[in-house]
Amino acid sequence: MGCSSTKNLSSIIGAPLEKHDPVSGPINTSSPHRETRFIENCIVIWLVASSTITAHKNIAEKLRQVISILKIFNNPTECITFIENIREEKVFLIVSPEMEQAVRSVHYLSQLEKIYIFSLSFQKMETIDDQIIQTKIFSDINDLCEQIHHDVKFCELDLINIIVVPAEIQSTTFSAKQVAMFTCIQLVKKIALRIKFESEHKDVFLDFCRPYYVSNEEQMQYLEDFENNYRPKNVLWWITKPCFLSKILHRVLRTYEIDVIYKMGFIVRHIHTQLTLLHENIFSLFTDRSIVYRGKTMPNDEFDILIKNNCGGILSFSNFLTASIHKKDAMDFIQQRLITHPKMAAILFEICLDLTIRSTANVCAIINNLNSNMKSEEGEICFTMGTVFRIQSVEQVIDNLTNMWIVKLTFVDDNDQQFYRLVAPLRTNDVDTNPLSYLGKLLIEMGASERAEQFYLDLQTDPSVFNQPRRLARLQNGLGLIFTYKGDHMKALEHYHISLKTTLSYMSPDHPDLASIYKSIGDSYRNTHNYIQALANYEHSAQLLKDDQHSIIDLNDCIIKTKQLLEFNKQQC
């Protein structure tokens, strides 16, 4: 996602370059081309006349102190192309007055959050009305930075990933993807809660972060502070600060960037642990049934598909969700968002804290007293990631002339039958012993095979994996699954063979657990039309499973079909 106009500006923008980019598409490790990877939700793009770039270097530095990711263009066409290729991020676009007409064609793009006109030569503030975005002209960089800081804050709060599983699951792509997303975030939490905090975990995470913030003095100070003073017991204090940790965590839990979540696994565990410890305090502060509020805006068609038509279904947020005990706070937030996006659906989540419902997974705590500087967030509740709710009702109301949807949510307890069925696969022995492979499978079902591939490729260099044969075998099996999905059966075969060789280093050759690997190898050979090898591996797998009549049925079917294909080939010759 780069372009020529930014390459000669690297000293200004300071954007780190990574070899892999799960956001922009499949990984090509043989390609010399490298693309920028973003690790926050919001970016600022500045389209400015080329003759003034050098003179505006100080302005660029000020902008970078407001938001870490700044891209500068002097060519409108390249700028528009860059914006059109943005997938996950929200763009705040600054343009010179003479460039304003050139970029009006991108106003309709969902990734474009807001446009600002900036020129030092404009002494009079003016407003340009647009059908979609109201654009204000700024002549003072401090005023512009203050406005961007305000807008980014509210945009970040609105970027929460909502997962809804219908009460009656249909055989549709939508339902399958939502189920995979729901299961994925529950599995990620399960894996993270197993992690034992070691000092090297923090070091690996900090080494990953530093290149992205090298040009941001404030965030580099946060990084140093985190390195010297972070302790598990103060993790909630850290996530209430507008720093690198909260920004990255908020993004990667929204976008399922598993490679980064893996690096932050110890943070996820510490947050959940602290929320669990503080959860009991809620019982002394609330009645049995109290309401907390969270505002949200989203496109109307997305709201209809995801929430309006799924009353009675299960709803979950992939991130650590915050809500307020004050309805006015949530309403004010919605009003602020509608100023920028008046055509969005306005949603007020009313979350019932029914403290009679006990759930080991759904914990929450009041966190406003952790930071004395956060007076405006007084009465703020934080729910653990993946908290599960039931959509009790969806009602349209008019509040202060605002057309709004009230969505009432209640906790789902551990005995809820739909929840129990959804997480049933995570309780199997196969997932317990091979969670990484199953995680890759879920990412594929979500349509995020590139993220899974990125995760597994990164794990190959992780000492905690390549020094542990069992983990390495599972990793190679996961890569085989991904390449099978992508249709690259030769590459899949390569990884399955490595998985088999590694597994044989700690498992006897007649162990039944080898059967699944031999079957995967057989499938890959059959997909490459090598039916002799396919048949040999299927038969070997069946031999290992000779006492498991249920599992052998599918294998026998594979053997029969492969023999038929082999016989057909012989006849053709």
Side-chain angles (χ1 to χ4, degrees), residues 208-378:
F208 168 78
C209 295
R210 284 192 179 97
Y212 292 94
Y213 294 102
V214 68
S215 298
N216 189 313
E217 182 179 345
E218 181 183 23
Q219 295 303 323
M220 289 300 289
Q221 289 176 351
Y222 276 129
L223 282 159
E224 183 178 354
D225 187 17
F226 183 84
E227 181 177 28
N228 297 327
N229 301 313
Y230 174 77
R231 300 292 183 273
K233 66 181 180 181
N234 65 14
V235 67
L236 296 180
W237 180 82
W238 273 97
I239 65 169
T240 62
K241 299 178 73 65
C243 68
F244 71 98
L245 190 149
S246 58
K247 290 177 179 291
I248 297 175
L249 182 65
H250 184 73
R251 177 203 165 87
V252 298
L253 290 178
R254 178 179 71 89
T255 58
Y256 292 84
E257 292 177 59
I258 302 299
D259 59 317
V260 186
I261 296 175
Y262 182 75
K263 291 178 175 66
M264 301 184 76
F266 70 99
I267 297 290
V268 172
R269 176 177 178 172
H270 292 164
I271 297 172
H272 180 82
T273 300
Q274 291 303 308
L275 290 176
T276 302
L277 291 173
L278 294 172
H279 183 65
E280 293 298 321
N281 295 341
I282 289 183
F283 292 88
S284 62
L285 298 171
F286 290 107
T287 61
D288 283 349
R289 292 177 64 86
S290 297
I291 305 294
V292 295
Y293 305 90
R294 175 62 191 243
K296 177 81 176 83
T297 66
M298 65 171 64
N300 285 277
D301 55 347
E302 182 181 331
F303 170 74
D304 290 347
I305 295 172
L306 199 62
I307 298 176
K308 181 181 176 182
N309 298 331
N310 286 308
C311 189
I314 277 180
L315 182 146
S316 182
F317 301 93
S318 64
N319 55 309
F320 291 93
L321 180 77
T322 56
S324 175
I325 65 174
H326 306 296
K327 183 177 180 180
K328 184 178 183 301
D329 290 347
M331 294 293 294
D332 288 346
F333 170 75
I334 292 172
Q335 294 295 340
Q336 287 287 334
R337 292 297 293 159
L338 290 177
I339 291 173
T340 303
H341 299 289
K343 296 185 178 180
M344 290 285 196
I347 306 150
L348 180 67
F349 289 108
E350 291 188 355
I351 304 172
C352 178
L353 298 182
D354 188 343
L355 302 181
T356 63
I357 297 177
R358 292 290 182 155
S359 172
T360 56
N362 297 344
V363 295
C364 58
I366 295 179
I367 61 172
N368 65 288
N369 59 344
L370 300 172
N371 188 341
S372 58
N373 295 323
M374 294 183 66
K375 294 181 181 179
S376 62
E377 279 73 42
E378 189 173 338

Side-chain angles (χ1 to χ4, degrees), residues 111-149:
Q111 58 267 45
L112 183 61
E113 182 69 12
K114 199 166 184 180
I115 295 178
Y116 312 88
I117 308 293
F118 176 66
S119 173
L120 292 173
S121 61
F122 272 73
Q123 299 302 316
K124 182 181 178 182
M125 303 297 285
E126 300 179 25
T127 297
I128 301 175
D129 291 323
D130 184 82
Q131 291 183 352
I132 301 177
I133 300 174
Q134 287 196 335
T135 305
K136 193 174 184 179
I137 296 181
F138 290 85
S139 60
D140 185 289
I141 184 58
N142 294 319
D143 291 342
L144 176 60
C145 288
E146 183 179 345
Q147 185 64 52
I148 292 175
H149 180 270

